[in-house]
Amino acid sequence: MTRPVTARVPAKVNVQLAVGGLRPDGFHDLANVFLAVGLHDEVTAAPADTLRLTVEGADAGQVPLDRTNLAARAALALAERHGIAPGVHLHIVKDIPVAGGMAGGSADAAGALLACDALWGTKATRAELLEICAELGSDIPFSLVGGAALGRGRGELLTPLETGGTFHWVFAVAEGGLSTPAVYRECDRLREASGAGASSADVPDPEPSPALLEALRAGDATALAAAVSNDLQPAALSLRPALADTLRAGADAGALASLVSGSGPTCAFLAKDAEGARAVADELAASGTCRAVRITSGPVPGARLVDAAPGARLVDG
Ligand code: ATP
């Protein structure tokens, strides 16, 4: 196929992020309940002689354009497996906050994989795509799968979860990002400092909350709000104390639940319904405690190919 191909990929929020102790390999075991929400990046793959990357969007300046970019790494991994040259121009239209705890880089990797597979005709199986995703990063398989899922291991061993309805969310985007490894390091430091210890021998194995899984299954926002949790939240707040003001502003505005999204610094607020979300968003925006406010809902599907957006830069040059 030689026509450009576009993939659309959602962001995620972790409705539960239970973090186990530090493993000898430097990772943490997780019980990670992902929900895909309707903020999307679009990745277009167009024919080109070599690998080339461009990014547009408000945060584009913060995205690396070299081969450390997760979209580029995904394209290279697919090309290498199939013994072909990685000739592609990847263009990312970025709407997911960068380094925001919403898996934006992971979304771009999953999108690049899907789009390059279609462009190059490599016809990778779903299992192969998932394997490449897991090799590239713990959150990337979920970006491909979407919906709602439980991630075990480092988060990459996924079990899809049933959801009985749509959940309405407001996201408060912070000024600047937080590095995910730095937030995990801070989590370990806080655990050590508390005297409880941070290793896998010290910390109980992370387990999904039965009440949370039931709330998802029932589509019950009030029950979900009572069950959400994020073990990385104390670390994100320690590194970025001002997030406490954002969380308080959302709670004061009537959110059913207020939590840091993944490693932060984006804050997530669960609302009762679409109208409730608008009310929370209005008050949050007026509070002056965040850079931008976004209203959306989930679950939404994972990465999928779409017709290219009109006006998208589709050709190399
Ligand atoms: P997660 O929620 O999976 O922990 P995140 O949403 O906090 O991730 P990302 O937006 O994925 O963070 O970006 C983390 C870092 O990865 C960025 O600071 C950037 O340097 C690098 N990066 C590599 N590729 C990308 C990409 N395609 N988009 C954004 N950042 C990228």
Side-chain angles (χ1 to χ4, degrees), residues 12 14 41 53 55 62-64 68-72 92 94 96-109 139-140 178-181 184 261-265:
K12 59 85 182 162
N14 308 83
D41 280 1
L53 190 71
V55 183
Q62 297 168 48
V63 178
T68 64
N69 189 294
L70 281 164
I92 302 172
K94 200 141 192 54
I96 304 175
V98 175
M102 298 193 76
S106 299
D108 299 346
D139 284 354
I140 303 177
L178 272 177
S179 143
T180 304
Y184 274 96
S261 177
S263 54

Side-chain angles (χ1 to χ4, degrees), residues 251-310:
D252 290 348
L256 298 179
S258 311
L259 77 164
V260 169
S261 177
S263 54
T266 306
C267 291
F269 303 93
L270 182 59
K272 189 163 146 273
D273 50 24
E275 200 181 322
R278 273 193 300 277
V280 169
D282 286 347
E283 277 200 43
L284 260 176
S287 75
T289 60
C290 55
R291 170 163 67 101
V293 173
R294 306 292 302 271
I295 302 176
T296 186
S297 61
V300 299
R304 65 209 151 100
L305 297 178
V306 294
D307 289 334

Side-chain angles (χ1 to χ4, degrees), residues 41-81:
D41 280 1
E42 286 195 353
V43 183
T44 297
D49 292 337
T50 55
L51 178 63
R52 182 164 176 262
L53 190 71
T54 47
V55 183
E56 72 177 77
D59 287 350
Q62 297 168 48
V63 178
L65 294 178
D66 59 15
R67 291 182 174 212
T68 64
N69 189 294
L70 281 164
R73 289 182 51 208
L76 289 167
L78 182 69
E80 190 177 329
R81 274 195 181 225

